[in-house]
Amino acid sequence: QVQLVESGGGLVQRGGSLNVSCAASGRTFSPNAMGWFRQAAGKEREFVAVINWIGGSTYYADAVKGRFTISRDNAKNTLYLQMKSLKPEDTAAYYCAAGRRVTQRTMDYEYWGQGTQVTVSS
């Protein structure tokens, strides 16, 4: 019913910046939360950031706080993640997700994109 498509991933040098986006489509789209998660090779998917779609409150993982900024454009049904001061450990496939609850748990999200790869070179 709802499709999420990430874009904007790529290769960036350590200390650089990169922005990724997630476009949502569907007959109806009214999530309570949209979030970003990432999964590095050989590791489990981890929480990055989440935003309350209505109120706009945000929560960040400690590893990215102060470097990443999550935002959304409700009119465009688009989620953004601005990343700066990137580190090699940020290298992962980045996924956007939408769900009913503002939470950091992957299992609570109903819809997922296919991911966009972000690679940070040293």
Side-chain angles (χ1 to χ4, degrees), residues 81-101:
L81 185 67
Q82 299 171 303
M83 302 178 285
K84 61 181 181 181
S85 300
L86 283 161
K87 307 173 182 179
E89 46 264 50
D90 294 319
T91 295
Y94 282 71
Y95 299 86
C96 66
R100 299 185 183 94
R101 302 169 61 183

Side-chain angles (χ1 to χ4, degrees), residues 103-119:
T103 175
Q104 300 179 15
R105 302 197 308 171
T106 61
M107 67 179 68
D108 290 332
Y109 286 82
E110 188 174 0
Y111 303 103
W112 291 87
Q114 292 299 119
T116 186
Q117 180 67 33
V118 173
T119 302

Side-chain angles (χ1 to χ4, degrees), residues 68-83:
F68 290 12
T69 302
I70 187 171
S71 61
R72 89 287 198 219
D73 187 328
N74 300 65
K76 295 181 178 179
N77 290 337
T78 302
L79 180 73
Y80 304 95
L81 185 67
Q82 299 171 303
M83 302 178 285

Side-chain angles (χ1 to χ4, degrees), residues 10-96:
L11 177 65
V12 62
Q13 292 182 344
R14 173 182 173 271
S17 300
L18 195 66
N19 299 330
V20 293
S21 302
C22 174
S25 63
R27 186 169 296 277
T28 60
F29 184 71
S30 58
N32 289 333
M34 287 197 72
W36 288 100
F37 295 78
R38 66 187 184 186
Q39 187 168 19
K43 299 180 65 177
E44 66 182 24
R45 193 167 299 181
E46 68 176 7
F47 168 76
V48 175
V50 64
I51 188 167
N52 184 304
W53 195 253
I54 301 172
S57 58
T58 59
Y59 303 89
Y60 297 90
D62 289 343
V64 306
K65 190 174 183 179
R67 300 188 297 119
F68 290 12
T69 302
I70 187 171
S71 61
R72 89 287 198 219
D73 187 328
N74 300 65
K76 295 181 178 179
N77 290 337
T78 302
L79 180 73
Y80 304 95
L81 185 67
Q82 299 171 303
M83 302 178 285
K84 61 181 181 181
S85 300
L86 283 161
K87 307 173 182 179
E89 46 264 50
D90 294 319
T91 295
Y94 282 71
Y95 299 86
C96 66

